[in-house]
């Protein structure tokens, strides 16, 4: 009968262990590796499009049911034990917490409602806090129980020694503070008689106290009167140790990529083609005169060239600006809440924040939105080079903008991060020379370090980046700080860096540096082209990865 | 009699002429046979048409092609040239030169930065429509080249490899291999590079023009250096032997082996390898050093070999061996200024100036020896002995008094003793009237450097090298805080020297700024941006406005023309 009951339990235990292992693996993938993130199942329901990552759902959902099962089991199990219920609830917590974050993230993707995004962030934030307190609770419990357990053991050993004719003095008070004979000093942190709990703050700076401590090590028995002090020391040490371990774990997780930043592209689709320009010609024919060639009156017949033509040029979007299949202008790999963002790269050594934010970058972003009809963010942002590491591989920011006029100082690790961003995450850098020949050299030197096997080349006029969506037959610039030629770095047929030599950012400012209108208009067009190119290429790559 | 003899001579002459013509015809035929395949490249470059093809064209075709060529080669107006080649294609589609016109149109597109158009609509069309024409070979190569120019290294590599596969015997493969060597540098693929170098060195014919020969020769040198680096001295020599013949081979072996020796000797790990390489090189040179020194030429040739041995030892860091070797040379061939000059030069590299001067003192050409002694004092920054040496030279070499006198001034200038230098220059100004302008400028420049700006302005004013003298004068006025005068001078430069106008306009801005007229300065900087938007000085003005005045409205902006 007993055997049968054990076998009944085993499938549940086995299932739990297997589910937990699978959960650990998939959570690691979800956080850092994104190997299975590309496997997507699309379900259309009315106007809503649900994109599932089935493997994640298959692995993340069962722990919820398994946790519920074990919780019910713990509550119903007789005799009822609160400890058992607490253990099960604590074990279930990480699974449920992670599921809540995951579901909130997915809901945000499906509905495009930013409230879910906020909810996801709150789950993540408060969940971490809850995890901290939960861990703290169990740490206190373990210390307390451990301390009592070792006291009991020591008393048992003393009683045994007494029975063999040993010292009896300890039977009165403070028995737990007397160590049995010929036992080495206690090192166990759970034992309140551990030698280091005798330490006080002023002990650390006093030689005599250290001497006393060393002698007490040889005596080994602790003073019963110092028990409250030792208890306090034990509790404080436990708290400090726990905080330290939690902090380190948190930092390691966030540095490894636990706090990955996700950038979503706007959902939709479109074609990577040049904007079609429709020219409507309207002839305005002047008054017609019937001229008698034999008339006595001389009349000058206007030559045909003088007939006024009123040209009405209309830029007609004959197609959606975007990439892939989908409704509205956007990208097939995008989501409803996704937006095109303008992220500036912060670096040391120079003035990365030249014309940053409102009145320059934001103008470009707004213009991009107007021209492409794609959703754009309502503000521009900046990130440090170190933060590029946290960008999710398949939800990466496809382009970052780097400008300035002084030096670009990058460490070896930063060079590695930039390389990873460009190559592994399929990102792109839009360099803009903000005001000096030196900055030109800085950019070249930086890229030589980032991509030592790639040489900069002149970007052709008829390249897709100069044609789509706007044809840019001549490079516009505000001032020729680094020459008059746009340079590019190409890897596997894709531009990973675009260098504009002539302060394009100044043409995006509110006053456009008062350059001629055709120049700043062309600068906006070029900006649109470069941003669109980066998004389109990234989208193509993400789609290709998903197809694999 | 006279007439008959005249007639006989004439007959003989005709026969001789006939036989000569026959020989010439055979020679021309043989040449044509040999060079048939390489005709296109023989024309010089891949973008040139062979004379054989040119002469087959009709007069009208040549006329149109000449117009296009004029814009392409003389005026380098790619846009017009492309239009003219296109016109040729429209008019004479079936002409022999049609593929050539298409090729040239494609090159024009490439130069106009329409690289994708050049490849897809240009070069590829040449191959597709005229696959057997000589231009198809060039087009195949240009496809690779254009891909490389737009950063598509993989596609370029593929295109070059196709050239090698499709036109294995054509000289264009040399160009393709040369480009593949460059690609292998990018890919850090040394084994492939070595294979290509070997092909270029040993297998490629170098008879198809200067460009081909240069590429193969460079490959042989690179292969030799690589061989020396890995310790294969014999292979390196073999590679160089494909390029250099007997009299010059030694010099080139030594020139190419010295680098690897010096690099390896600097590292303790490879020092032993360097020593071995140096020994091999020395034994090679010694082995072929001629023992026959019967004529001055042969003696000179033998001395050169000894110099090579010295150079190799010097590169290997064997400094103790160098002076004895020179002494051996002197003992063997006698004391010579060239040998002594090299020995003294070596002492100078070892910072042993006294020994160097002793050696210069042994020169047969006492004037040159004394000059070198003076130079060595200058190298040591010892002014007085140098000046004394030059003064001695002025006495000894009366024909070149001014030359040595000027050197005294230069010595003072080098050591910033401008007053003394000015004195010398003023003396020269009186004595050497032929070069008065030069000395006047030197006096003015030294006055300016010594802070005597008024005197400097006076002398600059007498110089005739506008606008340089006006530029310096304006600088002196600024130093004297006479900003108004400086601006007048800058304005004169703007009006009189268009090429210096952007610079002068920018300087006006800076001068106004120094004068405290900030508003005018800002306007002036904006004017520079507006007037010369494509010039580098506009960039400076733009940056200055933004950095100093936080003004973004700079009024510049333009679009690149080409």
């Amino acid at each position: 009968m007993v055997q049968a009951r054990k076998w009944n339990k085993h499938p549940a235990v086995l299932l739990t262990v297997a589910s937990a292992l699978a959960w650990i693996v998939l959570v690691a993938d979800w956080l850092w590796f994104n190997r299975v993130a590309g496997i997507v199942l699309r379900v259309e329901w009315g106007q809503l499009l649900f994109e599932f990552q089935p493997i994640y759902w298959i692995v993340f959902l069962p722990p919820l049911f398994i946790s519920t099962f074990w919780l019910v089991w713990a509550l119903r199990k007789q005799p009822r034990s609160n400890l058992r219920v607490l253990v099960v609830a604590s074990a279930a917590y990480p699974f449920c917490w992670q599921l809540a974050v995951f579901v909130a993230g997915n809901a945000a993707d499906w509905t495009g409602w930013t409230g879910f995004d906020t909810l996801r962030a709150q789950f993540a934030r408060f969940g971490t806090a809850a995890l901290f307190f939960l861990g703290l609770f169990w740490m206190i419990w373990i210390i307390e129980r451990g301390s009592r357990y070792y006291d009991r053991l020591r008393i048992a050993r003393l009683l045994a020694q007494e029975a063999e004719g040993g010292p009896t003095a300890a039977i009165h008070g403070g028995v737990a503070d007397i160590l049995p004979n010929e036992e080495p000093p206690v090192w166990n942190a759970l034992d309140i008689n551990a030698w280091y709990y005798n330490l006080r703050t002023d002990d650390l700076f006093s030689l005599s106290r250290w001497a006393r401590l060393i002698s007490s090590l040889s005596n080994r028995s602790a003073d019963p009167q110092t028990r409250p002090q030792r208890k306090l020391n034990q509790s404080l040490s436990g708290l400090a140790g726990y905080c330290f371990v939690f902090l380190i774990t948190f930092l390691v997780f966030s540095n490894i990529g636990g706090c990955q930043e996700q950038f979503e592209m706007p959902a939709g689709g479109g074609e990577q083609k040049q904007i079609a320009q429709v020219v409507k010609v309207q002839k305005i024919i002047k008054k017609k005169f019937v001229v008698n060639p034999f008339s006595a009156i001389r009349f000058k017949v206007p030559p045909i060239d003088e007939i006024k033509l009123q040209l009405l040029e209309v830029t007609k979007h004959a197609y959606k600006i975007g990439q892939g299949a989908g409704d509205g202008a956007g990208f097939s790999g995008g989501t409803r809440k996704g937006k095109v963002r303008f992220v500036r790269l912060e670096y040391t050594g120079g003035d990365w924040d030249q014309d940053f934010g409102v009145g320059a970058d934001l103008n470009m972003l707004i213009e991009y939105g107007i021209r492409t009809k794609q959703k754009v963010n309502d503000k521009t942002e900046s990130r440090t080079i170190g933060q590029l590491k946290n960008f999710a591989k398949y939800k990466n920011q496809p382009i970052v903008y780097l400008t300035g006029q002084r030096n670009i100082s990058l460490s070896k690790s930063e060079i590695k991060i930039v390389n990873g961003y460009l190559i592994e995450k399929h990102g792109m850098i839009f360099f803009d020379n903000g005001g000096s020949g030196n900055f030109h050299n800085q950019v070249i030197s930086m890229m030589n370090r980032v991509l030592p096997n790639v040489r900069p080349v002149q970007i052709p006029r008829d390249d897709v980046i100069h044609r789509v969506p706007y044809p840019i037959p001549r490079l516009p610039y505000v001032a020729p700080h680094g020459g008059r030629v746009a340079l590019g770095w190409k890897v596997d047929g894709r531009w990973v860096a675009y260098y504009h030599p002539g302060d394009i950012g100044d043409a995006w400012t509110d006053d456009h540096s008062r350059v001629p209108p055709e120049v700043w208009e062309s600068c906006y067009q070029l900006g649109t082209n470069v941003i669109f190119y980066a998004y389109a290429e990234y989208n193509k790559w993400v789609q290709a990865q998903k197809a694999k | 009699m006279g007439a008959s003899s005249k007639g006989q001579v004439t007959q003989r002459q005709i026969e001789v002429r006939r036989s000569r013509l026959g020989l010439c015809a055979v020679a021309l035929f043989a040449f044509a046979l040999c060079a048939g395949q390489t005709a296109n490249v023989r024309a010089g470059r891949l973008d040139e048409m062979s004379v054989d093809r040119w002469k087959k064209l009709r007069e009208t075709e040549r006329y149109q092609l000449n117009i296009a060529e004029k814009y392409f080669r003389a005026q380098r107006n790619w846009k017009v040239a492309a239009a003219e080649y296109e016109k040729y294609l429209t008019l004479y589609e079936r002409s022999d030169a049609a593929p050539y016109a298409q090729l040239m149109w494609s090159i024009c597109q490439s130069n106009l930065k329409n690289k994708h158009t050049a490849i897809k609509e240009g070069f590829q069309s040449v191959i597709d429509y005229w696959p057997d024409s000589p231009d198809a070979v060039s087009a195949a190569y240009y496809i690779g080249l254009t891909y490389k120019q737009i950063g598509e290294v993989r596609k370029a590599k593929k295109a070059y490899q196709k050239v090698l596969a499709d036109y294995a015997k054509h000289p264009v493969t040399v160009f393709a291999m040369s480009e593949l060597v460059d690609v292998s540098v990018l890919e850090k693929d040394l084994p492939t590079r070595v294979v290509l170098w070997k092909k270029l060195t040993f297998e490629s014919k170098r008879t198809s023009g200067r460009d081909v020969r240069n590429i193969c020769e460079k490959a042989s040198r690179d292969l030799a250096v690589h061989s020396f680096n890995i310790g294969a001295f014999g292979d390196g020599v073999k590679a160089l032997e494909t390029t250099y013949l007997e009299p010059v081979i030694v010099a080139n072996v030594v020139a190419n082996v010295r680098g690897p020796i010096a690099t390896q000797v600097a590292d303790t790990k490879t020092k032993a390898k360097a020593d071995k390489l140096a020994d091999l090189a020395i034994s090679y040179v010694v082995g072929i050093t001629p023992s026959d020194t019967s004529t001055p030429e042969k003696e000179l040739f033998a001395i050169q070999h000894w110099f090579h041995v010295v150079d190799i030892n010097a590169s290997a860091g064997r400094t103790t061996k160098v002076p004895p070797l020179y002494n051996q040379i002197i003992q063997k061939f006698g004391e010579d200024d060239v040998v002594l000059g090299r020995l003294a030069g070596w002492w100078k590299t070892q910072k042993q100036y006294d020994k160097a001067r002793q050696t210069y003192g042994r020169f047969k050409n006492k004037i040159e020896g004394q000059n070198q002694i003076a130079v060595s004092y200058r190298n040591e920054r010892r002014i007085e002995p140098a000046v004394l040496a030059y003064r001695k030279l002025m006495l000894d070499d009366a024909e070149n008094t001014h030359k040595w006198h000027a050197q005294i001034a230069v010595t003072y200038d080098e050591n910033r003793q401008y007053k003394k230098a000015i004195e010398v220059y003023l003396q020269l100004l009186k004595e050497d009237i032929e070069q008065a302008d030069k000395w006047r400028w030197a006096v003015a420049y030294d006055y300016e450097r010594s802070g005597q700006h008024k005197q400097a302005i006076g002398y600059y004013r007498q110089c005739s090298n506008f606008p340089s003298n006006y530029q310096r004068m304006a600088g002196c006025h600024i130093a004297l805080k006479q900003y108004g005068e400086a601006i007048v001078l800058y304005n004169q430069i703007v009006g009189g020297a268009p090429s210096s106008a952007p610079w002068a306009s920018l300087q006006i801005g800076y001068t106004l700024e120094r004068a405290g007229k900030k508003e005018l300065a800002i306007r002036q900087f904006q004017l520079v941006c507006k007037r010369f938007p494509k010039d580098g000085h506009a960039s400076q003005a733009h940056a200055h406005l933004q950095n100093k005045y936080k003004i973004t409205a700079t009024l510049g902006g333009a679009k690149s023309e080409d």
Side-chain angles (χ1 to χ4, degrees):
Chain A
M1 185 66 186
V2 172
Q3 286 295 318
R5 281 184 69 191
K6 271 187 181 174
W7 276 111
N8 282 340
K9 273 185 192 172
H10 276 172
V13 173
L14 284 174
L15 185 69
T16 307
V17 171
S19 178
L21 288 173
W23 182 85
I24 289 165
V25 171
L26 264 290
V27 162
D29 184 82
W30 179 60
L31 288 175
W32 306 314
F33 309 117
N34 292 297
R35 299 273 174 186
V36 299
I39 302 167
V40 177
L41 192 68
R42 287 163 192 257
V43 178
E44 277 189 54
W45 187 48
Q47 289 190 333
L48 290 176
L49 175 77
F50 296 99
E51 282 193 348
F52 292 94
Q53 289 159 316
I55 297 179
Y56 285 152
W57 280 97
I58 289 166
V59 176
F60 293 161
L61 212 50
L64 178 69
F65 303 116
I66 293 169
S67 303
T68 314
F69 165 76
W70 283 111
L71 204 61
V72 170
W73 171 81
L75 286 167
R76 286 188 180 177
K77 172 89 176 166
Q78 293 300 330
R80 184 168 170 176
S81 157
N82 287 338
L83 179 65
R84 190 188 300 131
V85 175
L86 275 172
V87 167
V88 171
S90 303
Y93 172 77
F95 299 98
C96 299
W97 172 45
Q98 183 271 334
L99 185 66
V101 174
F102 178 73
V103 170
N106 272 268
D109 286 354
W110 297 333
T111 58
W113 183 50
T114 49
F116 278 121
D117 234 5
T118 315
L119 195 64
R120 183 180 67 91
Q122 298 302 339
F123 273 146
R125 193 172 297 150
F126 289 109
T128 311
L131 187 71
F132 174 81
F133 287 113
L134 196 66
L136 188 65
F137 165 77
W138 283 110
M139 191 273 301
I140 293 166
W141 184 84
I142 289 167
I143 287 178
E144 189 57 36
R145 294 298 290 258
S147 175
R148 283 190 204 164
Y149 169 76
Y150 285 110
D151 275 357
R152 277 202 304 274
L153 272 185
R154 198 171 304 109
I155 290 166
R157 281 204 302 277
L158 276 169
L159 288 171
Q161 279 183 10
E162 199 179 78
E164 289 168 11
T168 55
I171 296 300
H172 313 290
V175 69
D177 301 315
I178 296 172
L179 293 173
N181 287 334
E182 294 170 13
E183 274 197 15
V186 176
W187 285 86
N188 190 339
L190 290 177
D191 193 341
I192 199 169
N193 279 317
W195 66 270
Y196 40 81
Y197 290 144
N198 279 322
L199 281 169
R200 283 185 297 179
T201 318
D202 33 341
D203 283 348
L204 301 170
F205 308 103
S206 163
L207 278 174
S208 59
R209 302 252 182 174
W210 273 101
R212 205 178 63 187
L213 183 76
I214 289 162
S215 68
S216 76
L217 269 179
S218 60
N219 291 336
R220 294 190 306 277
S221 294
D223 182 0
Q225 286 185 355
T226 61
R227 187 176 176 80
Q229 175 68 37
R230 279 180 281 131
K231 186 70 191 160
L232 180 67
N233 279 353
Q234 188 188 34
S235 303
L236 288 175
S237 310
L239 180 67
Y242 172 75
C243 289
F244 179 72
V245 169
F246 191 89
L247 188 70
I248 291 293
T249 313
F250 180 77
L251 284 175
V252 166
F253 267 68
S254 57
N255 272 331
I256 287 173
C259 285
Q260 272 193 344
E261 204 172 357
Q262 298 191 338
F263 296 88
E264 309 272 10
M265 290 183 286
E271 295 162 71
Q272 207 174 352
K273 278 185 182 172
Q274 197 169 304
I275 282 179
Q277 287 191 322
V278 178
V279 179
K280 285 184 180 172
V281 180
Q282 193 181 356
K283 278 185 182 177
I284 301 172
I285 300 169
K286 286 184 175 178
K287 278 182 184 174
K288 284 184 179 176
F289 297 96
V290 179
V291 182
N292 177 10
F294 304 109
S295 168
I297 305 162
R298 280 186 66 192
F299 191 85
K300 191 190 168 197
V301 180
I304 193 130
D305 292 348
E306 286 184 17
I307 293 174
K308 278 189 180 175
L309 292 175
Q310 191 179 344
L311 300 175
L312 179 68
E313 191 173 297
V314 179
T315 302
K316 189 178 175 183
H317 290 207
Y319 65 95
K320 292 175 295 178
I321 298 175
Q323 210 281 321
D327 294 332
F331 302 93
S332 54
T335 57
R336 283 173 181 279
K337 62 162 186 167
K339 286 172 181 173
V340 169
R341 294 158 84 156
F342 194 103
V343 176
R344 202 179 260 240
L345 203 55
E346 296 175 24
Y347 58 91
T348 48
D351 47 344
W352 66 269
D353 54 349
Q354 198 187 74
D355 298 335
F356 175 54
V358 178
D361 298 5
L362 190 58
N363 289 352
M364 180 62 241
L365 191 59
I366 291 166
E367 283 291 331
Y368 180 86
I370 293 166
R371 286 155 196 265
T372 60
K373 312 283 185 220
Q374 292 171 7
K375 273 198 239 172
V376 294
N377 203 9
D378 51 3
K379 59 180 181 184
T380 56
E381 302 145 82
S382 71
R383 296 287 185 280
T384 60
I385 290 175
Q387 285 173 324
L388 288 179
K389 194 170 61 175
N390 296 336
F391 288 11
K393 189 174 179 182
Y394 295 110
K395 295 207 169 168
N396 185 23
Q397 167 62 21
I399 187 167
V400 289
Y401 175 75
L402 191 154
T403 189
Q405 57 175 327
R406 296 191 198 117
N407 298 332
I408 307 173
S409 316
L410 300 190
S411 65
K412 276 185 183 173
S413 62
E414 285 178 323
I415 290 289
K416 211 174 167 184
I417 290 168
V418 176
N419 180 286
Y421 169 74
L422 296 178
I423 308 298
E424 288 160 25
K425 294 180 181 170
H426 231 69
M428 183 180 178
I429 302 181
F430 185 177
F431 289 105
D432 178 23
N433 190 333
S436 69
N438 171 52
F439 191 76
H440 174 90
N441 299 331
Q442 292 289 321
V443 170
I444 303 285
S445 158
M446 172 187 157
M447 288 308 290
N448 282 345
R449 289 175 70 201
V450 173
L451 300 169
N453 296 341
V454 183
R455 286 181 196 152
V457 292
Q458 291 186 10
I459 300 179
R461 270 183 190 179
D462 58 352
D463 193 274
V464 70
I465 206 168
H466 283 161
R467 279 192 299 111
V468 177
Y470 291 100
I472 313 280
R474 296 191 297 155
L475 188 80
Y477 55 85
V478 174
H481 301 306
R484 292 186 286 267
V485 178
L487 297 178
W489 285 257
K490 207 172 218 183
V491 175
D492 295 336
R494 178 181 70 93
W495 297 113
V496 296
Y498 183 100
Y499 168 66
H500 188 277
D503 220 345
I504 194 172
D506 271 5
W508 300 338
T509 51
D510 289 340
D511 60 0
H512 309 298
S513 293
R514 287 179 65 192
V515 298
E518 69 271 16
V519 173
W520 60 256
E521 168 59 22
S522 192
C523 286
Y524 275 135
Q525 292 182 350
L526 180 57
T528 305
N529 277 17
V530 176
I531 296 170
F532 175 66
Y533 175 86
Y535 270 84
E537 288 295 321
Y538 180 70
N539 186 57
K540 278 185 213 168
W541 177 71
V542 170
Q543 295 305 303
Q545 296 296 310
K546 281 181 181 175
K548 278 180 188 172
Chain B
M1 177 69 191
S4 68
S5 68
K6 218 179 211 177
Q8 280 173 0
V9 170
T10 315
Q11 188 63 32
R12 207 174 290 157
Q13 278 177 341
I14 289 165
E15 279 170 11
V16 168
R17 275 179 197 164
R18 271 184 188 165
S19 64
R20 275 182 190 167
L21 273 172
L23 277 171
C24 285
V26 169
L28 273 172
F29 182 69
F31 179 73
L33 271 180
C34 293
Q37 177 71 17
T38 61
N40 197 35
V41 177
R42 199 158 38 80
R45 289 158 40 173
L46 292 171
D47 62 355
E48 286 176 3
M49 186 190 252
S50 72
V51 181
D52 294 343
R53 287 174 72 195
W54 179 259
K55 71 185 178 190
K56 285 177 193 166
L57 299 180
R58 287 182 295 155
E59 189 61 37
T60 49
E61 290 171 354
R62 278 188 216 164
Y63 178 78
Q64 178 56 35
L65 214 50
N66 264 330
I67 293 170
E69 294 280 295
K70 183 185 80 183
Y71 284 110
F72 184 88
R73 298 192 196 283
Q75 297 187 16
R76 303 173 77 81
N77 188 336
W78 316 120
K79 211 178 241 180
V80 180
E84 292 297 336
Y85 285 120
E86 202 171 353
K87 192 173 163 188
Y88 183 92
L89 277 166
T90 315
L91 292 170
Y92 314 110
E93 199 184 350
R94 292 177 187 282
S95 155
D96 272 356
Y100 173 74
Q102 179 70 32
L103 178 80
M104 297 309 289
W105 178 86
S106 318
I107 294 172
C108 290
Q109 291 303 324
S110 178
N111 290 341
L112 285 166
K113 295 179 193 164
N114 296 324
K115 305 278 182 185
H116 295 279
T117 312
I119 294 170
K120 286 172 188 165
E121 294 171 27
F123 299 126
Q124 195 56 51
S125 298
V126 177
I127 298 168
D128 293 343
Y129 291 106
W130 299 280
D132 300 324
S133 74
D135 305 299
V137 188
S138 305
Y141 166 74
Y142 274 113
I143 287 176
L145 189 69
T146 315
Y147 271 131
K148 196 169 157 232
Q149 285 168 350
I150 58 172
E152 295 275 11
V153 181
R154 275 190 199 169
K155 285 183 182 172
K157 191 178 172 184
K158 212 172 161 185
Y160 290 134
Q161 283 167 342
K162 196 168 183 301
V163 170
L164 296 186
D166 293 353
Y167 312 104
K169 290 181 180 175
H170 196 280
V172 79
T173 53
V174 171
F175 295 102
M177 279 195 278
S178 168
E179 291 294 333
L180 281 170
V181 165
D182 194 40
V183 171
S184 74
V185 172
L186 283 177
E187 293 177 344
K188 295 182 179 170
D189 183 2
L190 184 64
T192 307
R193 209 178 315 155
V194 174
V195 170
L196 289 164
W197 278 336
K198 282 182 180 170
K199 278 187 182 171
L200 284 166
T201 304
F202 299 111
E203 295 168 24
S204 300
K205 285 180 183 171
R206 306 184 187 186
T207 51
S208 315
R210 198 177 56 193
D211 291 343
V212 170
R213 199 172 58 241
N214 288 344
I215 288 169
C216 294
E217 286 179 357
K218 187 179 179 302
S220 73
R221 285 192 293 271
D222 290 341
L223 180 63
V225 171
H226 168 73
S227 303
F228 294 145
N229 271 323
I230 60 170
F233 181 77
D235 292 346
V237 174
K238 270 182 200 166
L240 287 171
E241 278 172 351
T242 60
T243 300
Y244 304 103
L245 297 174
E246 189 57 47
V248 288
I249 179 73
V250 194
N252 283 284
V253 168
V254 174
N256 286 290
V257 82
R258 283 179 68 184
I261 290 173
T263 313
Q264 289 175 10
V265 88
D267 189 352
T268 47
K269 286 177 190 169
T270 52
K271 197 177 177 308
K273 208 173 151 188
D275 283 334
K276 196 180 166 188
L277 186 62
D279 290 339
L280 282 170
I282 289 167
S283 61
Y284 166 77
V285 176
V286 171
I288 56 170
T289 302
S291 51
D292 180 13
T293 53
S294 53
T295 61
E297 290 81 20
K298 285 176 181 172
E299 188 182 281
L300 189 66
F301 192 51
I303 291 174
Q304 287 300 327
H305 280 67
W306 278 87
F307 285 161
H308 294 323
V309 174
V310 176
D311 289 342
I312 295 166
N313 276 302
S315 297
R318 298 167 182 173
T319 46
T320 51
K321 287 193 177 178
V322 174
L325 274 168
Y326 276 120
N327 287 334
Q328 261 181 284
I329 296 169
I330 291 166
Q331 278 171 12
K332 198 170 171 73
F333 302 100
E335 207 163 76
D336 179 60
D337 280 1
V338 177
V339 182
L340 290 173
R342 282 181 65 107
L343 175 60
W346 187 82
W347 284 124
K348 274 165 82 173
T349 62
Q350 303 299 307
K351 305 279 177 201
Q352 299 200 25
Y353 291 100
D354 287 334
K355 284 186 178 174
R357 278 188 286 271
Q358 279 172 18
T359 314
Y360 285 130
R362 286 152 64 190
F363 264 39
K364 282 176 189 164
N365 182 348
K366 293 292 172 194
I367 302 295
E368 182 54 26
Q370 187 67 15
N371 175 35
Q372 289 302 328
I373 287 169
V375 170
S376 72
Y377 280 126
R378 272 166 67 181
N379 294 148
E380 278 191 289
R381 295 200 165 276
R382 290 172 63 184
I383 307 163
E384 289 315 316
V387 171
L388 276 175
Y390 282 126
R391 290 211 185 281
K392 193 168 181 295
L393 272 168
M394 285 169 70
L395 294 172
D396 295 346
D397 186 16
E399 285 178 14
N400 297 306
T401 318
H402 301 318
K403 179 183 159 188
W404 304 123
H405 204 181
Q407 286 304 313
I408 292 173
V410 172
T411 309
Y412 286 131
D413 271 344
E414 279 173 356
N415 294 282
R416 298 183 180 185
Q417 297 194 1
Y418 301 121
K419 277 188 183 174
K420 288 181 179 175
I422 291 167
E423 281 172 21
V424 176
Y425 284 131
L426 284 172
Q427 216 171 333
L428 278 165
L429 191 59
K430 284 178 194 164
E431 292 166 3
D432 187 13
I433 300 160
E434 280 178 17
Q435 299 188 78
D437 253 6
K438 186 179 164 185
W439 307 133
R440 211 172 282 128
W441 179 265
V443 170
Y445 193 48
D446 275 359
Y447 269 129
E448 188 189 342
R449 288 198 287 185
S450 62
Q452 300 176 69
H453 295 103
K454 278 186 184 171
Q455 289 87 335
I457 291 167
Y459 277 94
Y460 279 133
R461 202 177 290 283
Q462 294 172 51
C463 294
S464 54
N465 52 346
F466 178 81
S468 301
N469 59 338
Y470 273 52
Q471 288 173 348
R472 310 278 348 160
M473 278 159 68
C476 291
H477 279 299
I478 289 170
L480 291 166
K481 299 191 176 175
Q482 297 168 347
Y483 302 116
E485 284 85 344
I487 290 168
V488 168
L489 289 167
Y490 284 133
N491 273 320
Q492 284 177 341
I493 295 170
V494 172
S499 61
S500 300
W503 175 85
S505 298
L506 184 67
Q507 296 308 315
I508 291 171
Y510 287 134
T511 313
L512 286 167
E513 194 178 275
R514 281 200 187 96
K517 297 171 181 172
K518 287 190 177 174
E519 280 184 18
L520 287 173
I522 290 166
R523 267 188 229 161
Q524 182 64 28
F525 289 128
Q526 288 177 331
L527 197 69
V528 176
C529 294
K530 197 175 179 180
R531 267 197 199 164
F532 314 103
K534 292 168 186 175
D535 195 274
H537 295 94
S539 157
Q540 286 179 34
H542 174 87
H544 192 71
L545 279 169
Q546 287 195 331
N547 295 337
K548 180 140 190 180
Y549 301 106
K550 309 291 173 201
I551 290 173
T552 54
T554 55
L555 308 174
K559 291 183 181 184
S560 64
E561 281 171 355
D562 49 1

